[in-house]
Amino acid sequence: MSAEIVNLRQARKSKLRSEKERQAEQNRISFGRTRQEKSLTGALNEKAAKALDQGRIEKADAPPGDRQDGGD
């Protein structure tokens, strides 16, 4: 019966590395977005807001008696 020889220092370091990698993976999932992804999202949000504002109908221009929403 021969047992496998284990270097405890290497085993400890290996375990520590795997724990750090696991934590890093969790952080990438939680916080990880690249600068490019953030700027792309910002640009898309600005474009959508601009398109929404351009399609908005101004109700202040209509005379008070000429309402098209049906409410009197």
Side-chain angles (χ1 to χ4, degrees):
M1 268 205 264
S2 67
E4 187 176 330
I5 298 175
V6 177
N7 187 331
L8 295 178
R9 179 180 50 85
Q10 289 178 346
R12 189 171 51 245
K13 285 184 177 184
S14 175
K15 182 179 176 185
L16 184 62
R17 266 188 237 113
S18 66
E19 281 294 316
K20 282 185 178 182
E21 181 58 36
R22 188 190 59 76
Q23 183 64 40
E25 180 66 30
Q26 188 64 35
N27 287 344
R28 281 193 288 272
I29 292 170
S30 299
F31 305 109
R33 284 193 353 169
T34 64
R35 184 183 309 258
Q36 186 178 15
E37 288 173 332
K38 290 176 187 177
S39 65
L40 177 64
T41 302
L44 290 174
N45 287 343
E46 286 178 25
K47 183 178 179 181
K50 227 181 248 187
L52 182 65
D53 287 341
Q54 288 175 351
R56 193 170 300 229
I57 298 173
E58 297 290 330
K59 293 188 178 187
D61 295 340
D66 187 29
R67 291 174 49 172
Q68 293 188 9
D69 60 355
D72 277 305

